[in-house]
Amino acid sequence: MAWRGQLSKNLKELRVLFCQSSPASSATRAFVEKNYQDLKALNPKLPFLIRECRGVEPQLWARYDMGVERGVRLEGLSEPQILKALEDLAKAGAAATKA
């Protein structure tokens, strides 16, 4: 999982949106609780924003160079699937920087 340490090279910002209490956001809440510290320690300068709002659909957003953003809906995904979605967003950023 070397890509985890490369997030700050491929992304300008990472945002996670979820509801504090809804069952649809439970996997996203667990993902943040288990992975935030590690991801932040590996990428201390990367803005990693956690946005909690009642009733919001769980989402993961990545901002790249030139203000380009890409989002993924997380409803119905498990923690490993959320991690895979983050990896895909990071790889998309790496591909964009090479182009």
Side-chain angles (χ1 to χ4, degrees), residues 50-82:
I50 308 299
R51 299 292 183 243
E52 297 176 294
C53 181
R54 186 174 317 273
V56 74
E57 175 185 322
Q59 302 173 37
L60 181 63
W61 285 88
R63 186 169 53 85
Y64 305 103
D65 283 332
M66 308 295 276
V68 174
E69 291 190 350
R70 189 167 164 211
V72 177
R73 295 173 61 177
L74 303 177
E75 189 169 354
L77 298 183
S78 65
E79 289 178 58
Q81 290 171 319
I82 294 171

Side-chain angles (χ1 to χ4, degrees), residues 26-38:
S26 62
T28 305
R29 287 191 303 271
F31 168 80
V32 169
E33 289 173 8
K34 290 182 182 178
N35 293 283
Y36 176 81
Q37 281 188 313
D38 184 44

